[in-house]
């Protein structure tokens, strides 16, 4: 079996296709013949998914879709040949091991590429909007960086939940492209200057939930945008700014809730806990076409370096998906 490995150093990024044994699924695991896998920005940040310490090699890819090739002990509900999608380690490979608790049957109308674009971003959006964000019909949702993979998933999930969605982006082209998905107000800015427009759009009320995929540069502005009992989700910091001021008076008076969304310190059980609810509450919308995975482009496996560059340049809208080779 051949799989991609990536080395990230202070001076260069190297890609190498290597041979490695086909993994053996352990208890409560399934072996998946990968057909497609998605790129995620966090995997390309130092200290995150594609590498550990600088100069080390690590299997890459955090989510994908494919056919179950074998099941490990204690697995129920899956068998060889099932079409599944899910989060897993080493998704950029011919075969990958997936926890059975993370595996989800791909809705029949979806392609491999569509299935590969769903697990990570939509489970994150479900965590932010439903589990922690308590989003309700008619409430206002603000998404910073709305054209990112998580941003688009949050927009789509917010709309099926009945939210009214405001999004920010530095590209008017991207905002225009997202209007058909239900973006009610698009604010073209990368600066922390959007609170007046948000307050005007919401009649002075503010938003019930703000999703910050950008980082510390917009944190204080998000606080200014929140309504009474508003919630602020921090899911990323692509701006590299990890410290920000907190207006304690606003936090106190408006009874605000601030929370983070990350799986970095969670156990396998904690990561998988939301999957059954996601399958029952969100997948029906995807299967029925009310939510359609937004794919920026599908590229062949060998084009991973170019796909990585496109993601780092922020040229994409939605997900970039790798099509796995047919075999070696």
């Amino acid at each position: 079996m051949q799989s991609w490995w990536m080395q990230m150093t202070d001076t260069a990024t190297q890609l190498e296709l290597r041979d490695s044994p086909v993994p053996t699924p352990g208890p409560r695991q399934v072996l998946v013949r990968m057909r497609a896998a998605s790129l995620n920005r966090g995997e390309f940040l130092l200290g995150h998914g594609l590498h550990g310490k600088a100069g080390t090699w690590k299997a890459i890819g955090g989510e994908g879709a494919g056919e179950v090739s074998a099941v490990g002990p204690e697995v129920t509900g899956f068998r060889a040949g099932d079409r599944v999608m899910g989060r897993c380690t080493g998704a950029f490979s011919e075969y990958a091991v997936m926890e059975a608790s993370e595996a989800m049957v791909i809705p029949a109308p979806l392609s491999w590429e569509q299935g590969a674009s769903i697990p990570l971003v939509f489970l994150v959006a479900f965590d932010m909007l439903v589990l922690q964000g308590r989003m309700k019909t008619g409430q206002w949702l603000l998404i910073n960086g709305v054209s990112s993979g998580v941003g688009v998933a949050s927009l789509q999930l917010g709309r099926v939940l009945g939210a009214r969605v405001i999004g920010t982006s530095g590209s008017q082209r991207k905002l225009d492209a997202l209007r058909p998905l239900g973006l009610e107000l698009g604010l073209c800015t990368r600066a922390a200057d959007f609170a007046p427009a948000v307050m005007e759009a919401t009649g002075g009320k503010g938003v019930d939930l703000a999703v910050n995929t950008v980082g510390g540069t917009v944190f204080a502005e998000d606080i200014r945008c929140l309504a009474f009992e508003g919630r602020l989700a921090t899911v990323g910091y692509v701006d590299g700014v990890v410290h920000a001021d907190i207006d304690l008076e606003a936090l106190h008076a408006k009874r605000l809730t601030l929370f983070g969304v990350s799986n970095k310190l969670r156990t396998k059980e904690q990561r998988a806990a939301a999957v059954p609810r996601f399958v029952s509450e969100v997948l029906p919308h995807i299967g029925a076409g009310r939510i359609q995975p937004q794919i920026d482009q599908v590229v062949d496996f060998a084009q991973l370096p170019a796909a990585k560059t496109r993601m780092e340049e922020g040229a994409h809208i939605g997900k970039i998906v790798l099509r796995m080779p047919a075999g070696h």
Side-chain angles (χ1 to χ4, degrees), residues 6-311:
M6 177 175 283
Q7 183 183 42
M8 305 277 291
T9 70
D10 294 336
T11 57
T13 297
Q14 301 172 2
L15 294 175
E16 183 173 322
L17 190 64
R18 291 187 166 189
D19 285 324
S20 66
V22 175
T24 300
R28 298 179 294 279
Q29 294 180 331
V30 295
L31 178 66
V32 180
R33 169 62 171 93
M34 304 303 294
R35 299 295 182 179
S38 290
L39 277 67
N40 293 286
R41 186 181 291 272
E43 295 169 337
F44 296 96
L45 299 177
L46 186 62
H48 284 256
L50 292 186
H51 49 84
K53 298 178 181 178
T56 62
W57 293 93
K58 184 178 179 182
I60 62 175
E63 64 176 338
E67 297 166 332
V68 173
S69 177
V71 299
E74 304 174 40
V75 171
T76 59
F78 295 103
R79 61 183 180 181
D82 285 348
R83 298 173 73 245
V84 298
M85 59 187 180
R87 297 175 295 198
C88 62
T89 300
F92 297 174
S93 58
E94 189 172 356
Y95 289 91
V97 169
M98 188 179 294
E99 299 295 326
S101 57
E102 291 273 7
M104 299 175 281
V105 174
I106 301 173
L110 270 61
S111 67
W112 295 120
E113 293 78 16
Q114 289 173 313
S117 71
I118 290 170
L120 196 149
V121 292
F122 276 97
L123 280 164
V124 167
F126 185 67
D127 188 346
M128 289 191 295
L129 272 59
V130 176
L131 301 183
Q132 297 193 74
R134 308 186 304 278
M135 199 86 241
K136 294 182 175 59
T137 299
Q139 291 189 333
W140 284 95
L141 170 64
L142 168 65
I143 306 170
N144 300 130
V146 68
S147 66
S148 67
V150 169
V152 175
S154 298
L155 163 62
Q156 293 180 290
L157 181 57
R159 289 299 297 139
V160 299
L161 293 173
R164 304 180 67 181
V165 185
I166 301 170
T168 70
S169 171
S171 167
Q172 188 61 50
R173 175 186 68 86
K174 293 181 179 182
L175 293 172
D176 292 342
L178 293 176
R179 285 202 175 91
L181 298 184
L183 182 63
E184 186 163 334
L185 174 63
L187 301 175
C188 186
T189 181
R190 288 189 175 93
D193 59 1
F194 48 84
V198 169
M199 298 306 291
E200 180 180 358
T202 59
K205 173 182 178 291
V207 298
D208 302 281
L209 176 63
V211 170
N212 181 0
T213 75
V214 174
T217 55
V218 299
F219 184 89
E221 191 77 349
D222 280 336
I223 296 287
R224 287 188 278 272
C225 291
L226 293 179
F228 178 72
E229 295 186 339
R231 289 84 69 194
L232 171 56
T234 296
V235 67
Y237 30 88
V238 295
D239 59 4
V241 180
V242 296
H243 295 278
D245 290 334
I246 295 179
D247 183 342
L248 292 181
E249 184 178 12
L251 178 71
H252 176 227
K254 293 198 288 185
R255 299 176 66 93
L256 303 180
T257 300
L258 314 180
F259 63 90
V261 182
S262 171
N263 284 319
K264 186 174 183 180
L265 301 179
R266 301 176 100 189
T267 64
K268 290 191 297 185
E269 292 74 20
Q270 289 171 328
R271 287 196 300 269
V275 172
R277 278 193 63 184
F278 179 85
V279 168
S280 64
E281 297 177 28
V282 179
L283 279 195
H285 291 294
I286 296 174
R290 290 184 290 273
I291 293 176
Q292 296 185 358
Q294 185 72 17
I295 295 177
D296 177 78
Q297 63 176 192
V298 176
V299 301
D300 289 334
F301 193 43
Q303 296 176 284
L304 175 57
K308 174 182 178 293
T309 298
R310 181 173 177 82
M311 171 161 282

